[in-house]
Every structure is written in structure tokens, then in C-alpha cells.
Amino acid sequence: MKLNSAIEDLLFNQCGVALIKTTDEARKIMAKLSELEAYFEETLQKNGEAAARFAEYKQLQDDLNSEETVLYYKEGLRFGVRLGLDIADRSESVGEDGVWE
């Protein structure tokens, strides 16, 4: 079986965020957040201004989470590339005869 290169995996969507499995702990947290969100939405229906402010808060939180996700992804990718370049630089491990030591 031929393995694709990382570039091919990216091209064919065979790696990345969409394939990351959620942990059991994350699912528990999401369930609790959903429960709390439903409570607040139901409670705030009685106060239109508060409901609108809460909706704005949720949207801003989503936007912030998205921005941070992109930032950490980019930094992780940069570090991975730097690590790969360090690994690929064999000059420190190659003797004068050109043989890998």
C-alpha cells in the first residue's frame, strides 16, 4: 500500500482538523455548555435586550475561538516546518567522508 505524502493528504482532505476525534471529556463539557446555553436562552426570552446581548456575547465568543484556533494552527504548522528543517539538516551528523554517523 502506497502512503501519500503530506501534501497529497492535504489535497485530498485526508488529514486536518475535520479528522480530529473529540475526547470524552470534551463531549461532557459540550453537553454541559449546551445545557447552560438552553437555560440562558429560555430565561432570557423574557427580556429581549438581555437575549440580544447574550446572542452577541455568544457570537463574539465563537469569533474569538475561531481566531485562536487559526492562530494556534498556524503556529503549530510553523513549528512543524522548523522541526522538519532541523531534522532534514544532516550536516551536523554527516562526517567529512559524507557518511551519516
Side-chain angles (χ1 to χ4, degrees):
M1 174 166 113
K2 178 184 176 270
L3 294 177
N4 290 338
S5 71
I7 294 170
E8 290 170 326
D9 285 347
L10 284 171
L11 175 65
F12 298 116
N13 294 320
Q14 295 174 345
C15 64
V17 175
L19 299 178
I20 296 173
K21 303 292 184 216
T22 303
T23 65
D24 289 340
E25 185 63 25
R27 279 192 287 281
K28 289 176 189 174
I29 292 169
M30 285 188 284
K32 185 66 175 171
L33 284 171
S34 293
E35 181 184 310
L36 287 169
E37 185 176 316
Y39 166 79
F40 282 119
E41 287 177 348
E42 183 180 325
T43 302
L44 292 173
Q45 282 180 355
K46 302 168 192 163
N47 182 335
E49 183 180 341
R53 294 295 302 229
F54 183 65
E56 180 184 7
Y57 169 83
K58 287 189 331 180
Q59 184 60 54
L60 289 170
Q61 190 67 51
D62 288 346
D63 293 345
L64 178 60
N65 290 340
S66 295
E67 288 293 319
E68 287 179 335
T69 297
V70 170
L71 174 67
Y72 284 104
Y73 178 81
K74 286 180 178 180
E75 286 303 313
L77 186 60
R78 285 184 185 108
F79 181 77
V81 169
R82 287 178 48 217
L83 183 61
L85 290 172
D86 283 352
I87 292 168
D89 180 14
R90 300 177 180 173
S91 62
E92 296 174 358
S93 300
V94 176
E96 290 184 21
D97 60 357
V99 176
W100 181 294
E101 297 177 339

